[in-house]
């Protein structure tokens, strides 16, 4: 691994970003033209010490960033596709597919919109419902994302195989969500042309879940674009919200955000989310980048 080149590349990408570009306040006495190391670490969900070692190319045995860490850094530094691939090459890691999977490169247009949704819960997910990046309010609403890999990175997969995945939703709404997830997955499978990833997921789900198998065999197809949801929050109780979806041009990624009518109880509860921490809020759908030892800084 070319640590000096990797560190220099990270440093130059950090210098070109202004705090406002990633939703951070400029703050007083800023001595660097772009982001501070601590800010990049926070955005990527890494410890400041770990990121500093990575950028300065130092450490006892050399820093060995994982693919998830590299993907998180690419998002934090707003790298384009070529820059993201270059980062993986410098770290001598296989470049993962850019369009899907928990290490997917977030499409710049969706990431730019997410940066501007500072007052509403929002996240970017893949067409298999793998969380790529989310803001603090999304974590406060739905809980910290678990660090799963493989099929379990998909919330649709966990919905039908892990009862704990349904805890945030009232039991009477489970049949509706099951139908929506199965129909949306049908659409994703057709759009992907039956690639190996989605084919394996469907095969396993059919074996493990009678509910999924029955719904799959109805052949209902519907891309989820908008839905009304009740979410069971451990502190605020049941929150009624509208969930909106904006799909990327190729349909492989989508931006989700939650709203409530002005003056409604849901709107009041959303305002309270900004002052509620995530320490004891459990887990939700998606994956989180691996964190190096040190302070636990949550990405946006």
């Amino acid at each position: 691994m070319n640590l000096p080149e990797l560190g220099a590349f990270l440093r130059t990408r950090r210098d070109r970003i202004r705090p406002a570009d990633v939703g951070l306040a400029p703050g007083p006495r800023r001595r660097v033209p772009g982001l501070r190391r601590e800010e990049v670490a926070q955005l990527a969900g890494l410890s400041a010490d770990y990121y500093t070692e990575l950028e300065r190319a130092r450490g006892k045995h050399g820093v060995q960033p994982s693919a998830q860490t590299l993907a998180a850094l690419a998002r934090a530094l707003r790298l384009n596709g070529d820059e993201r691939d270059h980062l993986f090459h410098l770290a001598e890691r296989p470049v993962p597919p850019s369009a899907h999977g928990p290490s997917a490169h977030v499409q710049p247009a969706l990431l730019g919109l997410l940066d501007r949704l500072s007052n509403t819960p929002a996240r970017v997910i893949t067409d298999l419902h793998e969380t790529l990046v989310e803001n603090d309010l999304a974590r406060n609403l739905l809980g910290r994302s678990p660090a799963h890999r493989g099929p379990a990175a998909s919330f649709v997969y966990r919905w039908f195989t892990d009862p704990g995945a349904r805890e945030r939703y009232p039991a009477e709404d489970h049949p509706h969500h099951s139908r929506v997830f199965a129909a949306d997955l049908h659409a994703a499978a057709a759009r992907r042309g039956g690639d190996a990833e989605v084919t394996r997921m469907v095969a396993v789900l059919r074996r493990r879940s009678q509910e999924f198998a029955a719904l799959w065999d109805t052949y209902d197809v519907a891309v989820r674009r908008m839905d009304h949801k009740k979410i069971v929050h451990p502190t605020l109780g049941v929150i009624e919200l509208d969930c909106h979806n904006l799909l990327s041009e190729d349909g492989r990624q989508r931006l989700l955000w939650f709203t409530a009518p002005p003056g409604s109880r849901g709107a009041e509860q959303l305002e309270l989310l900004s002052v509620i921490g995530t320490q004891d809020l459990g887990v939700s759908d998606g994956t989180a980048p691996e964190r190096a030892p040190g302070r636990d800084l949550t990405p946006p």
Side-chain angles (χ1 to χ4, degrees):
M1 175 163 38
N2 194 334
L3 286 175
E5 284 292 321
L6 178 64
F9 182 65
L10 291 173
R11 185 166 56 255
T12 59
R13 300 309 90 183
R14 172 170 62 86
D15 287 345
R16 72 178 181 173
I17 300 178
R18 301 299 181 265
D21 296 338
V22 292
L24 296 175
R29 299 179 181 177
R30 181 169 288 272
R31 299 178 181 176
V32 295
L35 297 180
R36 301 184 179 100
R37 291 190 183 93
E38 294 79 6
E39 291 169 333
V40 175
Q42 181 178 3
L43 290 168
L46 306 172
S47 75
D49 290 342
Y50 179 85
Y51 177 76
T52 298
E53 286 189 1
L54 191 61
E55 191 174 292
R56 291 182 175 176
R58 69 187 189 190
K60 266 189 176 182
H61 306 290
V63 181
Q64 302 289 329
S66 69
Q68 285 182 302
T69 294
L70 294 171
L73 285 170
R75 295 164 195 160
L77 294 169
R78 303 307 189 253
L79 302 186
N80 61 34
D82 291 337
E83 291 170 329
R84 175 255 199 180
D85 292 352
H86 184 63
L87 178 66
F88 274 78
H89 289 314
L90 289 176
E92 297 182 355
R93 295 285 185 182
V95 178
S98 60
H100 55 85
S103 296
H105 186 60
V106 181
Q107 299 199 12
L110 298 183
L111 192 56
L113 287 173
L114 178 67
D115 288 338
R116 288 160 176 77
L117 293 174
S118 58
N119 297 319
T120 186
R123 60 175 30 157
V124 177
I125 67 172
T126 70
D127 56 349
L128 298 186
H129 295 256
E130 302 152 320
T131 297
L132 300 178
V133 63
E134 59 189 351
N135 61 20
D136 288 333
L137 286 178
R139 269 186 299 275
N140 291 357
L141 177 66
L142 298 168
R144 188 183 299 278
S145 299
H148 286 310
R149 298 183 182 181
S154 164
F155 185 61
V156 173
Y157 180 89
R158 296 201 309 280
W159 177 266
F160 289 104
T161 60
D162 178 8
R166 303 190 178 198
E167 291 178 352
R168 290 277 172 145
Y169 303 89
E172 62 269 21
D173 294 345
H174 290 179
H176 166 74
H177 293 312
S178 294
R179 289 193 299 272
V180 169
F181 281 138
D184 190 77
L185 185 59
H186 246 305
R191 186 169 54 247
R192 288 189 177 208
D195 69 16
E197 182 182 20
V198 71
T199 298
R200 284 195 300 269
M201 178 181 294
V202 170
V204 174
L205 283 174
R206 286 178 63 87
R207 291 197 303 270
R208 296 192 58 181
S209 171
Q210 292 182 353
E211 178 190 25
F212 175 83
L215 290 170
W216 190 258
D217 289 341
T218 66
Y219 286 89
D220 288 343
V221 177
V223 177
R224 189 177 71 172
R225 292 183 173 87
M226 192 273 184
D227 201 358
H228 185 77
K229 289 190 173 186
K230 295 177 183 177
I231 297 174
V232 182
H233 190 276
T235 303
L236 300 178
V238 177
I239 309 176
E240 293 198 39
L241 300 169
D242 292 321
C243 178
H244 308 270
N245 290 253
L246 176 65
L247 277 67
S248 61
E249 187 174 355
D250 62 4
R252 291 294 188 96
Q253 295 181 11
R254 63 185 72 173
L255 173 67
L256 274 66
W257 72 99
F258 297 85
T259 63
S264 66
R265 175 170 170 75
E268 295 175 355
Q269 291 169 307
L270 281 182
E271 290 184 8
L272 290 173
L273 281 175
S274 62
V275 296
I276 293 178
T278 60
Q279 291 86 349
D280 298 315
L281 299 189
V283 298
S284 178
D285 52 322
T287 62
E290 291 182 347
R291 288 166 174 76
R295 287 186 292 150
D296 183 18
L297 298 175
T298 307

